Amino acid sequence: MRIAYFDCFAGISGDMTLGALVDAGLNFEELKAELAKLHLKDYEIKQEKVVKQGMSGTKIHVLAQEGHVHRHLNDITQIIQESELAEEIKDKALAVFGKLAEAEARVHGTSPQEVHFHEVGAVDAIVDIVGAVIGLYRLGIEKVYASAVHTGQGFTKAAHGTIPIPAPATIELLQGIPVYTQNIPFELVTPTGAAILSTYCSDFGDMPVMKVDHIGYGAGERDLTIPNLLRIMIGEKSTMDIPKINPNSDYSPEPLENHECGQEKHIHEHKHEHADMHEQEHKHVHEHNHNHNHNHNRLQGLTINHNSEILPQGEARFLQEQTIQAGEALMLEANIDDMNPEFYDYLIQKFFKEGAMDVFLQPIQMKKNRPAVTLSVQIHPSQLEKFTTLILKETTTIGVRVYPVTKYMLPYEVIPVDTPWGEAKAKIVRAGGEFTTISPEYEDCRRIAEKENLPLKEIYEEIKKQASREKP
């Protein structure tokens, strides 16, 4: 199970959560593309690397121009429901705002629907909350754990005047959650941070046993006597039993002789063979062989990549020298020969909207020479149940093949490009610090070509030329 542990030693806020997720590997351009589906206007989101008490983290800035706007829960619900975000993201974001509304209603003695959102109804708060939900979804987090929460103490200014710290709505949201103060006279937990934490997390305390592969630090606004950062650790939850150690006892752990820190080699072979899915012939062989060989010589020539997987040295050098990123995914496939082909356009758009990494079709020939199509959907492992159900529900297939795939990807960024016809975007792909590919965004090229009545290929080449000049 892929989990995240929120270490709230300096509290938590919406922008700190979003910053920590970006710092832990959430693609910033993909985040902005997802947030654009909210159709919010007149705002800009930026990321900045900052240092807090010697520790580096990511600060998220949401710059909005709308001024003071008081929204009700129904207004925010409408914004989220009318977006093109995946349904899971919508549901979770609405759950966070629902908790906020309930807390504010208890404080002010009214109903959740009548609550006037002040700070938490502004564009920046909406972006922080929905952005955090997008981040946890895109990173495949299945469960969230958290430490006890450092709240700060004292008083702070709010829309209704001077209020105690934690703010009344904040402490309402933190009911049942272990909290503490340590002489920091500032607000460390905001209502948005408390709402995100209380919506996602029900297990608080020590960090569970896990194999950490990504760590992110999200920065707060103030400079404190402690690092004003939220630390999020992401990885796979382990089933390993850790013995309880009494610090007053004479216990000392047994040395790991030739155990290479307990590394174990696991071989998983999954074979899914479908002779003809419409003939209901299905063979599933699952071989699970645990090879526990702790001989030091067997582990020579191996190294660990950023996902804590054992890789041959040649492959590790390949990843490092080319700055290539590795990632794990699942491929779902279905052979279909009896569905109206007009449906595929709808299905592809729906699967992308629901969060699929990739969707494509391949023509095949099935038994008895029947022409057919293989529908392939690439997803994060945490989305398996959702997309298996979608495929079986939305298509005529009676079975789905599933197998793991490893992705090797060059890092890229999307940059704005000034052209004679206005701004357009281009994707810049790098390898080893060098530019290897410049790809103008097709939709921008098409928009300009239609507006200016010029050949699409000329627009494409001009944007590509301008992008090559603007590269840093």
Side-chain angles (χ1 to χ4, degrees):
M1 175 186 290
R2 191 151 186 81
I3 65 173
Y5 182 74
F6 283 44
D7 192 1
C8 307
F9 57 80
I12 182 173
S13 64
D15 60 332
M16 290 170 77
T17 304
L18 189 51
L21 294 171
V22 170
D23 205 58
L26 174 64
N27 186 289
F28 192 63
E29 295 301 326
E30 291 180 3
L31 170 66
K32 290 198 294 185
E34 287 290 300
L35 287 170
K37 297 176 182 179
L38 287 169
H39 303 299
L40 294 172
K41 297 179 180 179
D42 299 326
Y43 84 93
E44 183 179 6
I45 182 170
K46 296 182 177 181
Q47 61 172 325
E48 177 189 9
K49 275 291 186 181
V50 298
V51 176
K52 300 290 184 179
Q53 295 294 336
M55 295 175 63
S56 173
T58 296
K59 182 74 179 77
I60 296 296
H61 301 277
V62 180
L63 310 175
Q65 302 174 9
E66 70 173 4
H68 294 288
V69 176
H70 295 172
R71 292 185 171 92
H72 292 82
L73 180 60
N74 286 340
D75 300 321
I76 293 175
T77 299
Q78 183 177 359
I79 291 171
I80 295 172
Q81 290 286 29
E82 291 180 355
S83 73
E84 287 83 39
L85 292 166
E87 291 301 321
E88 288 183 32
I89 295 174
K90 291 182 183 180
D91 291 345
K92 209 68 174 182
L94 290 172
V96 175
F97 277 106
K99 277 187 171 286
L100 271 170
E102 290 169 3
E104 293 281 2
R106 287 195 294 269
V107 170
H108 299 293
T110 183
S111 70
Q113 298 300 330
E114 293 173 325
V115 164
H116 288 269
F117 285 125
H118 298 284
E119 291 89 348
V120 296
V123 164
D124 56 347
I126 296 173
V127 169
D128 287 342
I129 290 175
V130 178
V133 174
I134 291 168
L136 290 164
Y137 177 82
R138 299 288 294 184
L139 292 173
I141 306 303
E142 300 171 74
K143 186 173 176 61
V144 172
Y145 296 81
S147 68
V149 182
H150 190 179
T151 63
Q153 61 189 41
F155 293 87
T156 187
K157 295 284 187 181
H160 296 286
T162 300
I163 58 175
I165 296 172
T170 300
I171 200 64
E172 284 284 341
L173 289 159
L174 293 176
Q175 285 191 76
I177 296 174
V179 299
Y180 66 97
T181 64
Q182 279 190 338
N183 298 318
I184 302 293
F186 298 106
E187 182 182 34
L188 301 184
V189 181
T190 65
T192 55
I196 292 168
L197 195 63
S198 61
T199 301
Y200 274 92
C201 184
S202 58
D203 291 292
F204 295 86
D206 294 337
M207 183 170 68
V209 182
M210 62 185 294
K211 296 179 180 178
V212 177
D213 53 49
H214 288 80
I215 304 168
Y217 293 87
E221 191 67 40
R222 295 181 182 273
D223 289 321
L224 306 174
T225 55
I226 62 173
N228 191 10
L229 299 165
L230 169 67
R231 176 165 58 183
I232 295 181
M233 290 165 274
I234 298 172
E236 297 296 323
K237 187 178 181 183
S238 174
T239 57
M240 182 185 300
D241 291 327
I242 301 298
K244 297 291 184 181
I245 300 175
N246 183 347
N248 298 318
S249 73
D250 295 328
Y251 172 83
S252 61
E254 181 181 346
L256 297 173
E257 298 178 1
N258 294 329
H259 281 225
E260 287 296 300
C261 300
Q263 285 288 354
E264 297 179 349
K265 180 181 178 184
H266 296 272
I267 301 174
H268 297 266
E269 297 181 6
H270 297 266
K271 299 180 181 178
H272 300 261
E273 300 176 4
H274 296 250
D276 184 342
M277 299 167 76
H278 296 278
E279 299 294 336
Q280 301 188 42
E281 297 177 9
H282 179 84
K283 180 182 178 183
H284 182 174
V285 181
H286 182 188
E287 297 175 82
H288 191 178
N289 175 28
H290 294 269
N291 183 352
H292 300 275
N293 189 326
H294 299 291
N295 189 309
H296 175 73
N297 295 329
R298 291 291 300 276
L299 293 173
Q300 288 182 345
L302 298 177
T303 188
I304 309 296
N305 77 347
H306 69 279
N307 281 329
S308 300
E309 297 161 349
I310 298 178
L311 293 177
Q313 284 183 345
E315 185 175 358
R317 283 197 302 271
F318 166 73
L319 292 173
Q320 184 177 11
E321 292 170 4
Q322 301 296 325
T323 63
I324 291 177
Q325 302 169 346
E328 300 301 318
L330 291 179
M331 188 68 76
L332 278 60
E333 291 184 348
N335 293 348
I336 304 171
D337 67 351
D338 59 352
M339 188 174 77
N340 186 335
E342 294 177 327
F343 296 171
Y344 285 113
D345 176 62
Y346 165 79
L347 289 174
I348 290 172
Q349 292 187 45
K350 182 177 181 64
F351 291 155
F352 276 125
K353 182 178 178 181
E354 293 295 328
M357 297 178 181
D358 199 7
V359 186
F360 55 94
L361 307 173
Q362 300 178 79
I364 61 171
Q365 195 139 341
M366 295 175 62
K367 191 165 64 176
K368 300 180 181 177
N369 295 319
R370 295 196 302 268
V373 169
T374 295
L375 169 66
S376 299
V377 184
Q378 184 176 293
I379 62 169
H380 190 277
S382 65
Q383 300 171 308
L384 176 59
E385 181 178 355
K386 171 186 176 179
F387 275 94
T388 301
T389 302
L390 271 175
I391 292 172
L392 293 173
K393 178 181 177 181
E394 296 280 357
T395 73
T396 57
T397 189
I398 60 173
V400 178
R401 291 187 299 275
V402 182
Y403 56 88
V405 295
T406 300
K407 298 170 57 182
Y408 295 105
M409 302 160 286
L410 288 170
Y412 71 88
E413 62 178 324
V414 178
I415 66 169
V417 179
D418 291 327
T419 76
W421 314 285
E423 187 179 283
K425 294 183 177 65
K427 183 182 294 181
I428 309 296
V429 182
R430 295 184 174 91
E434 298 294 328
F435 285 86
T436 58
T437 305
I438 299 176
S439 301
E441 290 291 332
Y442 167 73
E443 291 298 335
D444 286 354
C445 294
R446 185 179 72 171
R447 171 178 53 80
I448 294 172
E450 291 175 347
K451 181 180 178 181
E452 303 294 335
N453 195 26
L454 293 171
L456 181 63
K457 63 180 182 180
E458 290 184 14
I459 303 296
Y460 186 93
E461 291 301 324
E462 178 63 25
I463 295 175
K464 188 173 181 179
K465 183 171 66 175
Q466 294 293 337
S468 65
R469 292 174 180 170
E470 295 185 17
K471 66 185 181 183

